[in-house]
Amino acid sequence: MRTFLVAVATFAAGMALPATSVHAALYKCTSPDGTVVFQTRACDPSTKQEPVQGSGPTGRGVATVAAEPPARKTDGRVVVLDDKVVAQNRAVADREEVQRRDRCANYQANIAQQRAVLAEAKSTTTARKKAADEIAIQERRQKDDGCA
């Protein structure tokens, strides 16, 4: 009986301690008007929810966040949760922009390579057709990715 009481007391003491941090998944919530919010709670039903890769208890790069939800304040179209979330948002946006620029450079290099094949006098009809198709594919990818 004494062991049971010690276990109950230990459990109660553990529950009484305030939680300082928890590991939580990070969600990207996009509202119908285009407002983007990154948060640790699931999104409202009226918004589009996407889990951010690499977050969560089993993912690499788990985000440690405060147990209490941060105060919400608005800054234009983006809802700012706190400085840590703002820094995460900025880092994600910067990484995505660098990746997009790299893709755009690769599209340009592939197009230049295929145009060189088209310009060669020795190219066969099949090689020219393949090069023209590849140029069309790369130009479509450029357009879809928003490359200049």
Side-chain angles (χ1 to χ4, degrees):
M1 180 72 175
R2 184 173 183 203
T3 306
F4 177 73
L5 290 176
V6 170
V8 169
T10 305
F11 177 75
M15 294 302 290
L17 293 175
T20 55
S21 68
V22 295
H23 292 288
L26 190 62
Y27 297 100
K28 178 182 177 184
C29 306
T30 307
S31 67
D33 67 344
T35 304
V36 176
V37 179
F38 288 88
Q39 61 188 29
T40 57
R41 298 179 308 281
C43 303
D44 295 334
S46 63
T47 61
K48 178 182 172 195
Q49 175 176 305
E50 300 173 45
V52 176
Q53 277 189 320
S55 66
T58 59
R60 293 174 48 201
V62 174
T64 303
V65 296
E68 292 294 319
R72 294 174 67 105
K73 51 189 178 190
T74 60
D75 179 20
R77 291 177 53 110
V78 177
V79 176
V80 180
L81 298 178
D82 65 14
D83 290 339
K84 191 174 199 176
V85 174
V86 170
Q88 288 173 339
N89 290 350
R90 189 172 298 124
V92 168
D94 290 346
R95 184 179 67 232
E96 287 174 352
E97 178 60 24
V98 167
Q99 291 171 345
R100 189 190 67 78
R101 276 185 279 171
D102 288 346
R103 287 191 307 270
C104 291
N106 286 336
Y107 299 148
Q108 280 300 110
N110 289 339
I111 289 171
Q113 185 180 16
Q114 297 304 322
R115 285 191 175 142
V117 170
L118 286 176
E120 283 181 14
K122 300 183 249 178
S123 295
T124 64
T125 306
T126 306
R128 287 175 185 257
K129 170 73 171 120
K130 194 174 177 182
D133 291 345
E134 186 62 28
I135 288 171
I137 291 169
Q138 295 299 319
E139 286 175 343
R140 187 189 76 244
R141 287 180 180 166
Q142 268 186 324
K143 182 182 173 199
D144 292 345
D145 229 352
C147 302

